[in-house]
Amino acid sequence: MGKSVVIDYPEDVNRISTSNPEVVDYVPVSTREILLHAKGVGAATLVIWAKSGQRNFYTVNVDMNLEPARKLIKETFPGEEIQLNGSRDALSLTGLVSSQGVADRAAALLQPFAKTIVNSTRVKALPADKQIVLRVKFAELSRTHTFQFGVNLISTGAANTPGVISTGQFSSARPSVLSGTIPGSNTGTNSNFSLTDALNIFAFRPDLNLAATIKLLQQQGILQILAEPNLVTSNGKEASFLVGGEFPVPVLQGGANSGAVTIQFREFGIRLTFNPLLTENNTIKMYVKPEVSTIDLANAVSVSGFTIPALATRRVESNIELGLGQSFVIGGLIDDRVNETFAKIPGLASIPLLGQLFKSRNENRSKTELLVMVTPEVVDPMSAGDPKLMPQLPGPFLHPMMLPNGMPGNSGVGAGAPATKAPAVTEKKDAYKKISPTK
């Protein structure tokens, strides 16, 4: 379509006729030359009469000019096996392509060339997806330090005065019974005190009617958690896992079941979610989300007799690109807290040396550090003939038992049982070898 052809007729032409001028039109150039124009896609019959009375029939088929479209397809998809054919006002795509996306883009590219595009391409069988293993190491170190100091003085009647001297920061003894005679007299007066917390040191002098409770406590604690989970997934597929547990949470219902309580479970522990994508540059683009959560009873909430614990959570979300075998470290997740409470009795606490007895102090310090190291690797599945990986035992499962006579025995043979001697076994094997050829 769109091209012209010249027919050299052997005789002088008298008349020309075409069955479909919209497909093929003609122009007589001379008495023996006829110019044909392809105007539309289709078929037409051309009849030529010579002056001698001879007539000839020509069947003309006009197809689309597919060379520009073929050139465009070849330049756009140089590595694809795409064939292009045309029929009237439709184009047909055949061949083998690497993906469905290539087939769809090729069909869209040919929309200006024809009204109808028939996409009959086939997609090549894709190779097995690469398997990506993510090696993660969680390292958490928690340090706690507690220091408490306080002194409570108790007089059960010293200087004829029952009483208590305390900063109030730590619990002290309280008088429970005070009895005397009327008119007031020291003789026969009784004083009873109740101790709810003897603290760390308790001293009482009955002859002086004087007691003291001292709280002097120092605590240090270290908690170390190390987890090394490994997770395998296919290229471009998200994977996740959780090592931990679930705790129940009561939930009040509404509507028709208003006031009813149901139980739902919340997850906690070490969680990892990641989605790797292997790029053409032999790198791995990865969305990774590690999380460490623990139950926090210090911030628990009590509702209708139910104790609902809180969660202490450390979570990281990141999008990174790494080479095979490279690692990245998520560090700096440090939580350092200091809580100090100080109390004193005005005046008495300012006395040199003795003023320390009228002061109390409570100091709590906690420091937590979390380190996460992530290493992605590409692994290939094992073939059927490859040796299978087995768990490595730290030692042999059963050691051979040595009998009292020094001969090796079976693990099921007792110390007093007779040993099975090696020569007897050898004789049985030799006898079997002699019988075998005659079978």
Side-chain angles (χ1 to χ4, degrees):
M1 187 175 64
K3 293 186 177 181
S4 300
V5 176
V6 177
I7 296 179
D8 294 324
Y9 203 70
E11 300 181 37
D12 293 340
V13 176
N14 184 25
R15 191 173 60 177
I16 305 172
S17 176
T18 177
S19 63
N20 193 348
E22 295 180 357
V23 176
V24 177
D25 197 6
Y26 65 89
V27 175
V29 179
S30 64
T31 57
R32 293 192 176 188
E33 289 182 342
I34 304 168
L35 181 62
L36 302 181
H37 297 290
K39 299 176 64 177
V41 177
T45 301
L46 188 70
V47 183
I48 302 176
W49 286 271
K51 291 184 178 181
S52 62
Q54 180 71 27
R55 64 178 180 270
N56 289 330
F57 294 85
Y58 296 88
T59 301
V60 183
N61 294 317
V62 179
D63 295 329
M64 295 182 60
N65 184 14
L66 301 180
E67 290 305 320
R70 288 194 177 102
K71 183 178 180 181
L72 180 62
I73 291 292
K74 190 66 176 178
E75 292 177 352
T76 307
F77 308 102
E80 305 292 339
E81 303 175 4
I82 302 178
Q83 289 81 36
L84 183 61
N85 299 307
S87 176
R88 293 186 178 272
D89 57 351
L91 290 178
S92 176
L93 289 173
T94 58
L96 204 60
V97 294
S98 58
S99 65
Q100 187 61 39
V102 172
D104 296 338
R105 285 187 292 151
L109 194 64
L110 297 177
Q111 288 294 338
F113 291 90
K115 294 181 181 180
T116 305
I117 305 296
V118 180
N119 194 346
S120 300
T121 55
R122 295 181 294 111
V123 179
K124 294 179 181 178
L126 298 178
D129 288 339
K130 290 289 186 179
Q131 306 293 317
I132 299 175
V133 59
L134 192 67
R135 308 186 186 277
V136 184
K137 294 183 179 181
F138 292 89
E140 181 179 2
L141 184 63
S142 177
R143 304 179 183 92
T144 58
H145 174 81
T146 302
F147 176 77
Q148 295 175 336
F149 174 76
V151 178
N152 296 328
L153 298 178
I154 306 166
S155 172
T156 61
N160 298 325
T161 305
V164 176
I165 300 177
S166 173
T167 61
Q169 187 168 5
F170 304 109
S171 61
S172 176
R174 291 291 182 267
S176 58
V177 175
L178 288 176
S179 61
T181 59
I182 300 176
S185 174
N186 293 331
T187 304
T189 301
N190 296 323
S191 61
N192 296 332
F193 286 78
S194 298
L195 285 175
T196 57
D197 185 5
L199 304 184
N200 298 107
I201 302 174
F202 172 70
F204 177 58
R205 288 289 301 271
D207 56 336
L208 299 178
N209 293 324
L210 185 65
T213 58
I214 302 174
K215 189 170 189 102
L216 183 58
L217 182 65
Q218 184 176 1
Q219 293 181 344
Q220 291 183 351
I222 296 179
L223 172 66
Q224 182 177 355
I225 299 176
L226 179 62
E228 298 185 16
N230 296 333
L231 194 59
V232 181
T233 184
S234 299
N235 183 29
K237 306 297 183 181
E238 182 177 299
S240 64
F241 81 101
L242 172 67
V243 179
E246 297 181 345
F247 64 94
V249 176
V251 178
L252 292 177
Q253 300 296 310
N257 298 325
S258 179
V261 178
T262 59
I263 300 298
Q264 293 183 358
F265 287 86
R266 298 288 185 269
E267 296 177 344
F268 71 94
I270 297 177
R271 182 195 303 272
L272 175 64
T273 302
F274 83 108
N275 190 348
L277 181 62
L278 194 61
T279 66
E280 297 179 355
N281 299 325
N282 205 25
T283 60
I284 298 177
K285 284 186 176 181
M286 183 170 52
Y287 164 77
V288 61
K289 182 180 176 182
E291 176 183 328
V292 177
S293 59
T294 56
I295 294 179
D296 185 8
L297 295 176
N299 298 315
V301 178
S302 296
V303 178
S304 301
F306 296 97
T307 300
I308 305 175
L311 284 180
T313 304
R314 285 175 292 276
R315 182 187 301 116
V316 179
E317 294 186 46
S318 180
N319 288 277
I320 58 173
E321 184 171 357
L322 297 174
L324 302 181
Q326 292 181 344
S327 303
F328 83 98
V329 178
I330 301 174
L333 301 177
I334 300 177
D335 185 7
D336 194 354
R337 303 183 184 184
V338 177
N339 184 9
E340 184 176 356
T341 304
F342 178 77
K344 68 178 181 178
I345 298 176
L348 297 178
S350 301
I351 301 175
L353 299 178
L354 294 178
Q356 298 296 327
L357 300 177
F358 306 101
K359 298 178 183 179
S360 61
R361 180 183 178 187
N362 186 8
E363 178 183 342
N364 294 318
R365 180 188 297 270
S366 64
K367 184 176 182 180
T368 303
E369 182 175 359
L370 178 64
L371 179 69
V372 182
M373 180 182 295
V374 182
T375 305
E377 297 178 1
V378 176
V379 295
D380 295 322
M382 299 173 57
S383 300
D386 295 340
K388 303 299 184 293
L389 297 178
M390 299 297 292
Q392 299 294 329
L393 298 177
F397 180 66
L398 288 176
H399 290 279
M401 178 181 293
M402 300 301 296
L403 298 179
N405 55 9
M407 298 297 294
N410 194 303
S411 58
V413 179
T420 303
K421 296 183 179 181
V425 177
T426 305
E427 292 176 1
K428 291 182 180 180
K429 290 184 178 179
D430 294 341
Y432 178 76
K433 290 180 181 178
K434 294 177 180 180
I435 295 174
S436 297
T438 62
K439 285 186 179 180

